[in-house]
Amino acid sequence: MSRTCAQLMLEMLAEFGVRHIFGNPGTTEMPLMDALADDTISQRLRYVLGLQEVPVVAAADGYAQASGTLGVVNLHISCGLGNAMGMIYNAWSAGTPLLITAGQQDRRLLFNDPVLAGDMVAVARPWTKWAVEIHRMEDVPSALRRAIQTALTPPTGPVFLSMPVDLQAELTELRATPPAMPDVHTSPPPATIEAAARMLCSAKRPMILAGHRVLERGATAEVVKLAEMIGATVLVDPPSSHARMGFPCDHPQFAGWLSHFAKDANARLAEHDVIVAIGLDLLREYLYVDDMPVVPEDSRLLQIDDDPQALGKSFVPELALHGHPRTTVAALNQQLGETMPETLRRDAAKRVEQVSQENAEARERLRDEIAAQASESGAKKPSPSALMGAIADVLPADVAVIEEAATTTSAILQRLGVIKRPDGYFGHSGWALGWGLGCAVGVSLAWPGRPALAILGDGAALYGIQGLWTAAREQLPVTFLVANNRSYEILKHGARFLELPNAQADRFVGLDLREPPIDYLALAQSFGVPAVRASSLDKVREELRQSFDARSPKLIEVPIADAPHGPK
């Protein structure tokens, strides 16, 4: 049966199980868009329209992370790819499996440098696992199969395909055969597992660093069991790279997150003799402090990861286990269960009691600090911590939380243990702004039965504000909470941290969003999203409850006080 190459590609995606394509089209994508209008295609693939590439790619990113499947996004030629690059960087940093496609100019014009044409492969290559432009109709099936397999095979990540507009319209009778995915559940040899078990049995004060790949590879239950067996304190990824939460934050052994400042991270890890790093990058620091290593010299490092580049990348481990986190940790748990002496089991049980008590006390101190700040606010703007405390009071158990408000959130929801499902947290990985709003759209499409809360800084929200239109068009149950301190507060923190002279005197240029004031309510309403301003903590709680019950999009602007000086 003859059909166009665009139709062939869409049939292959549908056969593979893809159900949504995110995009913002242009002329070079018209054959693809025309194919999407066919009844045979439109019944299997849904096109999710966005107004600009930032929220479009962010939505595909959120959808892929939430669904655990391939995210597919179609961009316009060079200009669209250029607009999207910040969000592609985020997906690259998070290891999100995205298939990014873009139309290229007609092959018959390319030699003459037509309008909008460019070397998109060279542009996309640094932040993708594989990037290629297809020039022959016969290569379309192979290229698509290779792209899908590359995106989804650990270490996962985005891939890019460029397709000339005339190639999309070319007729073909090639078969729409989807890829056959390999089994990625590999495990190290038994001798290596035994060596890791011996190393853990020798630990007196073990620490587990549970990275986002723990959750993404379905290894959370295995890591919880390991932590309980060896009596470990558990930290998750630092705020600079914790795309997901690798350990339940309401578990008694959860102790927060690792700092993204080397000096603070070293101090936190120094009391632990064995450090088990599972599915995370050690360490993506925020700013240079000094040459102090993150991993203390006296600590023994055990790494477990299916990303070989993460093993020993910055620090030399005593033992590195290359394998799927779930399979590898399960094998390690079995080995410990068979060989761990009873005396060590009793020691581990005592550590569990001690760690649990310390963490419970830390949570109680945090609650007291939040309550004190809330009582002090009165008629004034609430502090960031007081706002997060109010959110914690009304957070549903099944909510998906998307954070892009670095100086407001401070991982308070995790530290209080109120995010009841580890899969329900999405943090900013690459830090290219504008991600959070679009990500919430994609998460909500992947989980239509669950409410979503996007906690956004005012500056970050503006980078992807067009995503509100898609939320309204799709009538998604997303609450967009904009914490408005009328500034790029994190940059002020960074300037103070660097001890810049004018920053120490609170003199800044280009970091305030005060005049003219930005009307977030009018912006939201212009995109079709109802909006309110909540100027008190009681009003925040009331509006959040109503929004979670309504299961439709809503924006809540909360004016907040400036965050306390100094990085968090």
Side-chain angles (χ1 to χ4, degrees), residues 182-205:
D183 186 345
V184 299
H185 294 85
T186 58
S187 180
T192 307
I193 295 292
E194 292 169 6
R198 288 193 298 271
M199 184 176 175
L200 293 179
C201 285
S202 70
K204 304 298 182 185
R205 300 176 308 281

Side-chain angles (χ1 to χ4, degrees), residues 54 57 81-91 127 430-433 435:
V54 166
V57 177
L81 177 63
N83 287 340
M85 286 308 295
M87 297 304 103
I88 295 173
Y89 174 76
N90 285 342
W127 296 335
W431 282 25
L433 294 184
W435 166 88

